[in-house]
Amino acid sequence: MATKVVATAFGGPEVLSVVPADVPAPGAGEVTVQVRAAAINPIDFKRFSGAMGSDPSTLPQPVGSELAGVVTAVGDDAEGPAGPVAVGDEVVVYPVTGAFADAVTVPASTVVPKPAEVPWAEASGALLAGATAVHALAVVGVAQGDTVLIHGGSGSVGQIAVQLAVEAGATVIATASERRHDVLRGYGAIPVAYGPGLADRVRAAAPGGVDAAVDTVGTDEAVDVSLELVEDRRRIATIAAFGRADTGIRILGGAPGADPGTEIRRDAWRRLLPAAASGDLTIPVSATFPLTEAADAVRLVQGAHPGGKVVLLPDS
């Protein structure tokens, strides 16, 4: 029998339990995947915290949004975005409900091929943050010759956005704490420390001005500095400052009235996974935990800036 992580109540990591799980045989259009790695994302603990609703009928609540693994069974007409799915295929699955498990049955429509060159942990954490980064850069129209300001450049979304913007030919200025500056320089970005005086530091780094801005942190500082430096408010996007829609900037994600970017995010794997396979894109992984230590792994993501994805490895 398989195992999975569930939230038995609403609250912090202490509500997580590892329990036995029946894995249903795949029906039409479904596949069963043996999970090799499952990445942790802030949305996972926001859901079981009760911040997004606390209906007791949803308990026990499966946890986890993205994973990578091997297909072990397929139903009739199991076809994913890249074509038919077969037993033995190495795949990335996103979006999924209940990724924190050692086996899951999922719609084939959420399954895409994992390049052999991409390790399991990195593959499991590529698509949620990566699709968000692709969406944000597309919305603000980052292109060759632009100067773009990325707030939170050392976070999971920020690091991918920085790399993709550099690859597109933009000059990238990225905010981060000073201990993360060398990482950003390694990606080809110009790092600046956040905090008082941020606008002046960005001006010094970009004497020709800033064409676009992406906010991944949601602070007033990030939004206000972006408004001060970017002339066209349509070229400012945030994935977190949902209360600042009245400024005219672009609000992205699942909040009411936000642009969900459904098509862009659905197809982002076509850009992200080949880039990760070729080495043009690094998916940073800062820590791995066995499935049985899911609560400790979530605490790490909640309590600090881990500098990359935190990943559960069911077989470890």
Side-chain angles (χ1 to χ4, degrees), residues 13-279:
E14 72 279 356
V15 306
L16 298 180
S17 295
V18 181
V19 300
D22 290 321
V23 181
E30 294 181 329
V31 302
T32 298
V33 178
Q34 178 188 4
V35 181
R36 295 293 183 85
I40 298 172
N41 293 281
I43 189 65
D44 300 327
F45 49 79
K46 287 179 182 177
R47 286 178 177 142
F48 69 73
S49 73
M52 302 177 68
S54 54
D55 181 354
S57 69
T58 64
L59 300 173
Q61 188 178 108
V63 185
S65 306
E66 60 179 341
L67 62 88
V70 179
V71 176
T72 57
V74 299
D76 295 336
D77 301 318
E79 186 162 344
V85 183
V87 171
D89 285 352
E90 296 185 350
V91 296
V92 182
V93 185
Y94 171 75
V96 61
T97 299
F100 297 178
D102 49 23
V104 293
T105 295
V106 298
S109 60
T110 64
V111 172
V112 298
K114 182 190 82 69
E117 300 87 350
V118 184
W120 291 111
E122 285 82 345
S124 76
L127 296 192
L128 193 158
T132 303
V134 169
H135 182 201
L137 294 177
V139 163
V140 301
V142 171
Q144 185 170 0
D146 280 340
T147 296
V148 58
L149 171 62
I150 297 178
H151 298 277
S154 64
S156 294
V157 175
Q159 287 190 57
I160 295 176
V162 165
Q163 294 176 77
L164 295 178
V166 169
E167 182 187 31
T171 298
V172 178
I173 300 167
T175 71
S177 62
E178 291 189 6
R179 63 195 176 97
R180 305 290 185 187
H181 284 192
D182 285 346
V183 171
L184 294 172
R185 291 189 187 97
Y187 294 146
I190 302 169
V192 295
Y194 49 75
L198 175 59
D200 289 338
R201 290 191 293 277
V202 174
R203 286 191 184 94
V210 177
D211 301 296
V214 171
D215 163 39
T216 74
V217 294
T219 61
D220 285 337
E221 174 189 70
V223 174
D224 292 342
V225 168
S226 298
L227 290 168
E228 183 176 343
L229 298 179
V230 178
E231 181 177 356
D232 185 351
R233 295 189 176 193
R234 294 172 300 176
R235 299 198 71 187
I236 304 171
T238 180
I239 66 168
F242 301 128
R244 301 299 301 274
D246 60 343
T247 62
I249 67 176
R250 310 290 291 274
I251 309 295
L252 311 182
D259 171 10
T262 303
E263 292 185 6
I264 294 173
R265 294 188 188 217
R266 182 190 63 207
D267 293 334
W269 68 274
R270 300 181 187 275
R271 180 178 182 185
L272 295 165
L273 294 179
S278 68

